[in-house]
Amino acid sequence: MKAASSSLFGGFVLATAASGAILLALTLWNTVQLQILAHRPAPSLVQLSDGQSVQVRAAGHYAREPEVIRRFVAEALGMLFTWRRYIPAAGPGQADSEDPGIVLSNRARVPTSVFQAGFCLSEDLRAELLRQLAELSARTLSGKSGQVLFSATFIGRPQPVAGQEHTWSLGVVGSQVVYSPERPEGVPIPFNKQVTVRAVEPPVVPGELPQTPLEKAVARVRGSGLEIVSLRSLAAPEISPEISKEQSR
């Protein structure tokens, strides 16, 4: 009995020693790999699904580059303040189709493209601004062929807003040009705004589920991870020298 107990105990000790040696080897191997990874340069290129490679660098979760903010503002304002009563043809040789628009709670009809662009606005701004845009577009558009095109001539450099994290403000100078059968050459309306934007979570698009046109629009306009939280008209004394110089050209 003593011999059997001693044999079992010896086997247990040997098995424990072998397991410890294996764990020690794995720990040493993992430490070496971590050291190699720590000293390896971070990848600077990411390949997109279309084969294009773009340069990347590490950044905070809510950090946004100035050019990303400026591009978002330019595209958002272009969609919000370009109005038409028709949907442009999808391809050459096809005819434009009438835009049924979206009827809002104030019974005013907003162009479909403007309604979709409204998702670039914060929730406390979107509903009221869309109602105002519906009324303005109804008064401005003349006939089915009339349209209003927005063009930005100057977009300032984003400046951080004091006391608000991940929020930036920038000035925009441009114009809305109203085209109508009576004035085919267009009538420009000055557009001077102070735009405040903030970083938000971009939408997560499910890859396998089909999307409605509205879901696609939301994913498109919020894909930059930004939203507009305020739009304020700039009075003459508030216009910076840089913007004034642009206006005088």
Side-chain angles (χ1 to χ4, degrees), residues 95-176:
D96 298 334
S97 57
E98 184 178 355
D99 180 14
I102 305 294
V103 179
L104 304 179
S105 58
N106 61 347
R107 303 301 180 186
R109 190 182 301 270
V110 68
T112 302
S113 58
V114 177
F115 178 81
Q116 294 176 347
F119 290 99
C120 69
L121 306 168
S122 62
E123 286 302 318
D124 55 348
L125 176 65
R126 184 168 64 91
E128 179 58 30
L129 184 57
L130 282 179
R131 286 192 288 264
Q132 294 179 13
L133 293 179
E135 295 176 352
L136 285 172
S137 61
R139 293 199 302 263
T140 306
L141 291 175
S142 175
K144 294 183 179 181
S145 60
Q147 59 179 329
V148 178
L149 300 182
F150 172 81
S151 175
T153 57
F154 173 83
I155 299 178
R157 187 171 182 81
Q159 301 297 327
V161 177
Q164 300 182 41
E165 292 185 347
H166 317 301
T167 304
W168 301 267
S169 181
L170 61 161
V172 177
V173 171
S175 61
Q176 285 182 285

Side-chain angles (χ1 to χ4, degrees), residues 1-246:
M1 292 293 292
K2 290 183 178 180
S5 299
S6 176
S7 177
L8 289 174
F9 180 75
F12 175 76
V13 170
L14 288 176
T16 303
S19 300
I22 293 173
L23 290 175
L24 178 61
L26 290 174
T27 302
L28 291 174
W29 181 84
N30 188 50
T31 302
V32 171
Q33 294 300 315
L34 288 175
Q35 289 293 326
I36 294 174
L37 183 62
H39 292 86
R40 181 181 298 172
S44 59
L45 290 178
V46 170
Q47 189 171 19
L48 304 180
S49 58
D50 60 359
Q52 180 183 2
S53 295
V54 295
Q55 192 170 12
V56 298
R57 66 177 180 83
H61 185 69
Y62 288 104
R64 301 291 184 267
E65 290 292 330
E67 285 305 313
V68 172
I69 298 173
R70 296 176 74 247
R71 180 172 181 175
F72 166 77
V73 169
E75 292 179 351
L77 295 182
M79 292 186 294
L80 285 171
F81 293 95
T82 292
W83 309 329
R84 58 175 71 93
R85 297 187 187 277
Y86 61 90
I87 300 174
Q94 299 181 10
D96 298 334
S97 57
E98 184 178 355
D99 180 14
I102 305 294
V103 179
L104 304 179
S105 58
N106 61 347
R107 303 301 180 186
R109 190 182 301 270
V110 68
T112 302
S113 58
V114 177
F115 178 81
Q116 294 176 347
F119 290 99
C120 69
L121 306 168
S122 62
E123 286 302 318
D124 55 348
L125 176 65
R126 184 168 64 91
E128 179 58 30
L129 184 57
L130 282 179
R131 286 192 288 264
Q132 294 179 13
L133 293 179
E135 295 176 352
L136 285 172
S137 61
R139 293 199 302 263
T140 306
L141 291 175
S142 175
K144 294 183 179 181
S145 60
Q147 59 179 329
V148 178
L149 300 182
F150 172 81
S151 175
T153 57
F154 173 83
I155 299 178
R157 187 171 182 81
Q159 301 297 327
V161 177
Q164 300 182 41
E165 292 185 347
H166 317 301
T167 304
W168 301 267
S169 181
L170 61 161
V172 177
V173 171
S175 61
Q176 285 182 285
V177 184
V178 182
Y179 296 93
S180 64
E182 298 78 18
R183 299 291 297 273
E185 69 278 11
V187 179
I189 301 174
F191 185 99
N192 301 327
K193 299 288 184 183
Q194 190 74 19
V195 185
T196 304
V197 301
R198 69 183 170 202
V200 296
E201 290 283 348
V204 178
V205 180
E208 299 179 357
L209 298 177
Q211 289 183 283
T212 65
L214 185 58
E215 290 171 336
K216 292 179 181 178
V218 172
R220 183 177 69 252
V221 299
R222 298 186 72 88
S224 298
L226 292 162
E227 68 179 9
I228 296 174
V229 296
S230 75
L231 274 170
R232 185 173 62 87
S233 297
L234 287 173
E238 298 178 296
I239 299 177
S240 67
E242 189 177 11
I243 297 178
S244 298
K245 181 179 178 181
E246 183 65 29

